[in-house]
Amino acid sequence: MYSFSPKLKSTSIILLVVGLVLFGIGFFMNKGISTEKIEQMMEAVHASGHDAPTHSSEMVGPQDHAAHLEHATMQVHNQPLASLHFVAVFFFGVSCAVLFFYCIQHAAHAGWPIIITRVMEAIASYIPYGGAILIIMMILNITHNGHLFHWMDPELTNPDSPHFDVILFEKKKFLNIPFYAVRTLIYVIGASFFAWKLKAQSKKVDDTKSKVEYQMLYRWAVGYIAFFGFASAAWAWDWLMSIDPHWYSTMYIWYSMVSCLSSGIAVIILLSVYLKKNGFLPQFNDNHLHDLGVFLFATSMLWTYTWFAQFMLYWYANVPEEVNYFFGRFQHYGTTFLPMLIINFLLPLLVLVSSSIKRNYKVVTVMAVVVILGHILDYFNMVMPGTVGPYWKTPEVFLLILGAILFVAGLFMFTVLSALSKLKLIPTGNPFLHESEIYEYPF
């Protein structure tokens, strides 16, 4: 049985508190920015020659100074909510992706990962807490206390308004506030239900050691795979792609999901190695680490494929309405957009390609941390350009981002380790447990 150490508990609470404090400081600094200061920031951006739009809304409606200032003001005041949004969506997606990985193993009747079953269940325990943050943010947006989603402005779908946007008018059947709120509730409540049900069914298998109950666990796992397949695609549209509703990509849902899946496997590695090194999970061995390293390497390469395929298709087509999405990122996010390929692709490729090195605990653990940080940066690049635009290289933004990351990471750490301390680490009722205990990679 794992015991949540007072030191780690204190660390997670400190992260929560420090994150809140830093976010609060950044929030009040942001609210103190005057219109005159925003006008100076806007003129400085235009004077630099980097005037590529970071959002399609900048090309619709009046193009005079007042309209540009209004848009810049909205972007600057989006900083707090945008900083929290990308972190909250990322950690919620990671937890859901871990539960997806867990269900794939059960659906495939895989024997090797049974030892880390409780690790995956504990990570999935974060889902309702992460979902609660997203519901609060959804309420802020639909009540117009936040402006991350341009399409929520009723003026844009009013044919009599000077800001009328015909593209958003045509997308109104899907992109409307009531339907968006209902979808968000479905994602969060549905994922939370499956996390609870699968954990409860897994415990029932332990208690009864019944093959019938194990068959029910298999069926619920298949059900979550189907749910996740649709829900992860839809929340990528809602929470990420609809930030810039004129632009769309058929690769986007896979790209955003694989980013979370790769990070989820990295989190499994970190927690499993921690338990192993502290004597709580001695059954976890080099072979289990090797297979997790294989998945970490494979998902990193899959992420690279989806990123490149998406980018190449738009570059090759060279349609102005579409390449604007990338061009704005090249101009205003040059220090984060392309360099993230080094972290998310080049380093995993060079380090994890060797089979023997995947058995090295230190190397694989370091790479797991690198992958998580790299994909947090990826989500930063998905959200910030379309919400904050070029106004991100300011002290308050760095405080907001650091605060949001520390707060959500602290909450994630506290909920996951608390859940783990309440679980029996070895799933003794699972019929594949012995196979997992004696598992040895054949090559």
Side-chain angles (χ1 to χ4, degrees):
M1 193 81 174
Y2 168 70
S3 176
F4 192 1
S5 73
K7 184 178 179 181
L8 275 180
K9 187 176 289 187
S10 300
T11 301
S12 61
I13 293 171
I14 289 169
L15 288 174
L16 269 165
V17 174
V18 172
L20 274 175
V21 170
L22 291 177
F23 190 86
I25 294 170
F27 178 83
F28 286 110
M29 287 175 65
N30 174 267
K31 291 303 174 186
I33 300 175
S34 64
T35 303
E36 292 75 19
K37 176 65 175 175
I38 294 171
E39 191 167 13
Q40 291 172 10
M41 293 165 66
M42 183 184 74
E43 289 172 353
V45 169
H46 291 164
S48 68
H50 290 174
D51 54 359
T54 52
H55 195 282
S56 57
S57 63
E58 296 177 58
M59 300 183 290
V60 178
Q63 298 294 313
D64 55 16
H65 179 80
H68 287 306
L69 180 58
E70 180 185 4
H71 190 80
T73 301
M74 192 172 292
Q75 287 181 315
V76 169
H77 291 308
N78 271 341
Q79 291 171 358
L81 205 56
S83 300
L84 183 58
H85 181 75
F86 86 84
V87 180
V89 174
F90 174 76
F91 276 92
F92 178 81
V94 165
S95 297
C96 290
V98 167
L99 190 60
F100 173 64
F101 185 73
Y102 166 91
C103 290
I104 287 175
Q105 308 310 319
H106 282 305
H109 295 305
W112 73 269
I114 303 306
I115 285 297
I116 56 171
T117 290
R118 298 296 185 246
V119 170
M120 294 185 280
E121 289 175 0
I123 295 169
S125 298
Y126 173 77
I127 290 173
Y129 301 95
I133 296 173
L134 290 168
I135 288 175
I136 292 169
M137 295 181 68
M138 176 266 289
I139 293 170
L140 290 174
N141 279 297
I142 66 176
T143 55
H144 304 293
N145 290 301
H147 303 282
L148 298 187
F149 300 98
H150 177 63
W151 56 266
M152 288 186 179
D153 185 350
E155 287 291 303
L156 301 175
T157 52
N158 178 6
D160 298 324
S161 169
H163 298 280
F164 177 65
D165 189 325
V166 66
I167 293 178
L168 296 187
F169 182 77
E170 293 297 329
K171 293 185 177 184
K172 192 177 179 180
K173 289 181 181 178
F174 184 81
L175 291 180
N176 61 79
I177 287 176
F179 195 21
Y180 171 83
V182 169
R183 290 195 303 270
T184 297
L185 291 173
I186 289 172
Y187 309 147
V188 172
I189 295 171
S192 300
F193 167 76
F194 275 106
W196 165 79
K197 183 62 182 178
L198 285 161
K199 189 160 65 172
Q201 189 63 34
S202 179
K203 185 178 183 296
K204 191 179 289 187
V205 170
D206 272 6
D207 294 340
T208 64
K209 296 181 173 57
S210 165
K211 299 295 190 296
V212 174
E213 295 297 343
Y214 178 75
Q215 182 66 15
M216 287 302 298
L217 178 62
Y218 165 83
R219 291 176 181 176
W220 280 110
V222 171
Y224 179 73
I225 290 171
F227 170 82
F228 180 81
F230 287 102
S232 63
W235 78 51
W237 295 333
D238 282 335
W239 298 339
L240 299 170
M241 197 163 69
S242 79
I243 285 171
D244 193 339
H246 283 205
W247 182 86
Y248 65 92
S249 166
T250 54
M251 298 292 293
Y252 196 90
I253 56 176
W254 312 112
Y255 160 59
S256 61
M257 186 273 284
V258 172
S259 187
C260 287
L261 182 58
S262 186
S263 302
I265 292 166
V267 173
I268 294 171
I269 290 171
L270 292 178
L271 191 49
S272 300
V273 171
Y274 163 74
L275 293 173
K276 167 76 173 179
K277 294 300 182 183
N278 286 275
F280 294 108
L281 198 61
Q283 297 89 340
F284 183 82
N285 58 43
D286 297 358
N287 300 288
H288 300 109
L289 181 70
H290 175 274
D291 277 20
L292 286 171
V294 168
F295 278 106
L296 185 65
F297 175 78
T299 51
S300 295
M301 297 308 103
L302 180 57
W303 175 86
T304 307
Y305 163 73
T306 55
W307 185 94
F308 177 74
Q310 178 178 261
F311 174 78
M312 184 198 69
L313 289 171
Y314 283 104
W315 171 81
Y316 187 78
N318 198 28
V319 178
E321 292 83 357
E322 295 175 343
V323 298
N324 169 66
Y325 178 88
F326 293 99
F327 194 52
R329 282 162 170 76
F330 285 156
Q331 283 205 353
H332 304 294
Y333 288 78
T335 54
T336 63
F337 186 58
L338 288 179
M340 75 175 174
L341 290 174
I342 297 171
I343 307 172
N344 293 334
F345 164 59
L346 194 59
L347 289 178
L349 175 65
L350 295 177
V351 176
L352 294 175
V353 71
S354 166
S355 184
S356 61
I357 205 136
K358 295 187 187 78
R359 299 173 185 275
N360 187 309
Y361 282 84
K362 286 185 179 178
V363 172
V364 176
T365 301
V366 168
M367 285 310 303
V369 173
V370 167
V371 165
I372 292 168
L373 294 176
H375 288 293
I376 288 176
L377 184 60
D378 183 23
Y379 265 65
F380 169 89
N381 287 322
M382 289 187 207
V383 172
M384 298 299 277
T387 54
V388 173
Y391 310 107
W392 67 279
K393 294 180 180 179
T394 59
E396 60 270 14
V397 172
F398 290 107
L399 286 174
L400 287 165
I401 291 172
L402 182 59
I405 291 173
L406 292 179
F407 170 75
V408 178
L411 178 63
F412 182 84
M413 182 178 172
F414 185 86
T415 54
V416 168
L417 294 179
S418 294
L420 192 64
S421 66
K422 298 170 185 175
L423 296 170
K424 184 169 65 173
L425 283 183
I426 304 300
T428 52
N430 194 293
F432 294 97
L433 176 61
H434 181 63
E435 180 181 334
S436 186
E437 289 176 327
I438 64 170
Y439 175 68
E440 185 174 347
Y441 188 72
F443 302 106

